Amino acid sequence: MSLFDLVAILLTLAALLSFLNERYLHLPSTIGLMLISLLLSLGLIVTALLGWEVESQAEAILTRVNFSDLLLHGMLAFLLFAGALHVNLDDLLEQKWIISSLATVGVLTSTFLVGILTWFSFGALGLHIPLLYCLVFGALISPTDPIAVLGILKSSNAPKSLETKITGESLFNDGVGVVLFLVLLGIVKSGHAQKPIDIVLFFLQEAVGGALFGLAAGFLVYWMLKRVNHYPVEILLTLALVTGGYALAEKLHISAPIAMVVAGLLIGNHGRALAMSEKTCEHLDSFWELLDEVLNAVLFVLIGLEILVLSFQITYLVAGLASIPIVLVCRWISVGIPVAVLSLRRQFSKNVVTIMTWSGLRGGISVALALSLPPGPEREVILVATYTVVVFSILVQGLTIGRLFPETEAIKPVTH
């Protein structure tokens, strides 16, 4: 099967499922597409039990799609840039302390809490998964997924300040989470711990290097945008920024996701205000919104179909279900600590920790990272646990999150 055939199948399936959702279910597109594709996958599994070969044929096609590479080294560049393109930088700077705290301290705290608690949980179920692998699971499941979060927030009525915090955290903490994941996975593969200074230098290279690279690449394209006034060329320049910038960042071994977020913020704010005409802005927004919708549709269809390649033993499934409350409790603690510290200088609404806990959705990035683990029994357990948490996060949390927002107040500084 050729690459064109695979793309044709995925786009056709995404289009048909999008039609079904829009015509009959009327759910937010990300939730609806994943739900229908998940039900389709379960239907195919049932046909296999009946002796039909449809499920095996679908699985053969799906195995041709390297989900991890497709998302982490392809689609993620476009989705992060498109998400950052519409974030107001001034709003983001107003919430910089809570966002940076959640994206760093919050991710670290959650990673180690999830790792330790799942180690006990897996052990109680007779699954003897090494602690290091449990910490790897904590690293890949702790960051909130910007793609899932942005997709759900589009259809919610979250207050502006809360939306900024949720969006800002999700855009940056996945880069931090990937760096932490790579550090822990490196220890697993090498069999010995790295020196603390090496870990710090690696983090600085990835995170800070990615931010500086994104700023430089974004400024270069911004400079070029100021010198032309022809929207097809300007859109092409942003495409080159995303594709070329992401590829070069990976070659330089710096965080390509963080680079794309920073570049998207620069183009979406200074580029939009100072380097583009009104006509260009309209066409640029239309182009990236459409591309974002198409890629999201394909992504969430793939997430729903991934169940076909998982090893769903009963013990693994129970381990996955047990991981749901663990991840939620650890998320609540990792959000509560920064909020408690910052509340000494700022006033938060009383339910902000609960709302940010429930709105911390997990998605395709966690699944992609789990799929990138080396083969072995640990991989199968972690993959099933990750998939179970992601499905719960998107379907249950995603469908109910909107009910929390009307009662939420914006964060206001303390007046003295």
Side-chain angles (χ1 to χ4, degrees):
M1 182 178 294
S2 68
L3 177 62
F4 180 82
D5 291 336
L6 284 173
V7 173
I9 291 172
L10 289 175
L11 285 177
T12 301
L13 190 58
L16 291 174
L17 299 189
S18 295
F19 169 79
L20 292 175
N21 178 61
E22 187 66 24
R23 182 69 178 85
Y24 299 106
L25 297 184
H26 309 295
L27 294 173
S29 59
T30 52
I31 297 175
L33 286 170
M34 182 175 165
L35 176 61
I36 299 174
S37 59
L38 187 61
L39 293 174
L40 176 62
S41 300
L42 294 174
L44 291 174
I45 292 173
V46 171
T47 63
L49 297 176
L50 296 176
W52 300 352
E53 297 184 359
V54 180
E55 188 266 347
S56 59
Q57 294 173 356
E59 185 177 339
I61 294 174
L62 194 60
T63 52
R64 296 289 303 275
V65 181
N66 190 322
F67 183 87
S68 183
D69 279 345
L70 179 64
L71 178 57
L72 296 178
H73 306 296
M75 296 172 69
L76 187 59
F78 299 94
L79 293 166
L80 286 177
F81 182 84
L85 198 62
H86 298 97
V87 175
N88 187 287
L89 188 57
D90 292 332
D91 293 339
L92 205 63
L93 290 174
E94 287 182 6
Q95 308 293 342
K96 60 182 179 295
W97 293 115
I98 184 64
I99 290 172
S100 60
S101 298
L102 291 172
T104 53
V105 176
V107 172
L108 286 168
T109 302
S110 178
T111 294
F112 286 96
L113 287 177
V114 170
I116 293 170
L117 292 179
T118 52
W119 183 60
F120 283 111
S121 174
F122 292 165
L125 293 170
L127 299 171
H128 302 293
I129 308 299
L131 178 59
L132 266 177
Y133 267 99
C134 292
L135 291 173
V136 167
F137 172 65
L140 66 87
I141 205 66
S142 290
T144 56
D145 190 293
I147 303 164
V149 168
L150 292 171
I152 299 301
L153 285 180
K154 288 178 184 178
S155 56
S156 71
N157 59 339
K160 189 65 179 178
S161 64
L162 184 59
E163 182 180 348
T164 300
K165 286 192 291 295
I166 296 171
T167 301
E169 179 204 1
S170 68
L171 285 172
F172 285 102
N173 71 4
D174 67 300
V176 175
V178 169
V179 172
L180 187 57
F181 171 83
L182 292 174
V183 169
L184 291 169
L185 186 60
I187 296 174
V188 168
K189 290 181 176 179
S190 65
H192 57 81
Q194 297 174 317
K195 296 178 181 177
I197 186 63
D198 292 335
I199 296 175
V200 172
L201 291 175
F202 180 75
F203 179 82
L204 290 175
Q205 174 186 321
E206 286 276 340
V208 179
L212 292 175
F213 177 83
L215 190 63
F219 184 81
L220 175 62
V221 172
Y222 164 75
W223 179 85
M224 297 170 73
L225 290 172
K226 288 191 70 173
R227 282 151 180 80
V228 293
N229 186 23
H230 186 50
Y231 75 84
V233 175
E234 293 175 87
I235 291 174
L236 188 58
L237 285 171
T238 61
L239 268 176
L241 170 61
V242 173
T243 54
Y246 198 91
L248 182 56
E250 290 194 316
K251 295 296 182 184
L252 295 173
H253 302 291
I254 56 181
S255 177
I258 290 178
M260 287 304 100
V261 170
V262 172
L265 288 171
L266 193 150
I267 298 299
N269 288 269
H270 295 293
R272 190 190 304 274
L274 304 174
M276 300 180 198
S277 66
E278 185 177 343
K279 182 178 181 180
T280 296
C281 288
E282 291 177 1
H283 284 282
L284 185 76
D285 287 342
S286 298
F287 172 81
W288 280 103
E289 285 173 8
L290 178 61
L291 187 60
D292 184 49
E293 288 292 334
V294 172
L295 292 179
N296 261 305
V298 173
L299 173 61
F300 281 90
V301 166
L302 278 172
I303 293 175
L305 293 175
E306 281 298 311
I307 192 175
L308 295 175
V309 298
L310 299 184
S311 175
F312 268 101
Q313 298 183 25
I314 296 298
T315 308
Y316 294 178
L317 182 58
V318 173
L321 293 173
S323 298
I324 294 173
I326 290 175
V327 170
L328 285 173
V329 169
C330 294
R331 166 71 177 171
W332 185 81
I333 295 172
S334 65
V335 171
I337 292 175
V339 169
V341 173
L342 291 172
S343 64
L344 299 175
R345 298 184 60 87
R346 297 174 65 96
Q347 182 179 340
F348 291 85
S349 57
K350 62 180 181 180
N351 53 355
V352 68
V353 175
T354 301
I355 291 175
M356 292 200 69
T357 298
W358 198 248
S359 61
L361 306 180
R362 276 69 176 182
I365 294 177
S366 294
V367 176
L369 291 175
L371 286 167
S372 70
L373 292 172
E378 299 89 357
R379 178 183 186 270
E380 296 304 317
V381 176
I382 291 174
L383 187 53
V384 172
T386 302
Y387 193 82
T388 306
V389 172
V390 167
V391 169
F392 177 87
S393 175
I394 295 174
L395 295 185
V396 179
Q397 293 174 236
L399 280 173
T400 56
I401 188 174
R403 302 176 186 177
L404 303 176
F405 289 135
E407 300 176 0
T408 306
E409 300 174 2
I411 292 179
K412 303 179 285 293
V414 176
T415 55
H416 297 283

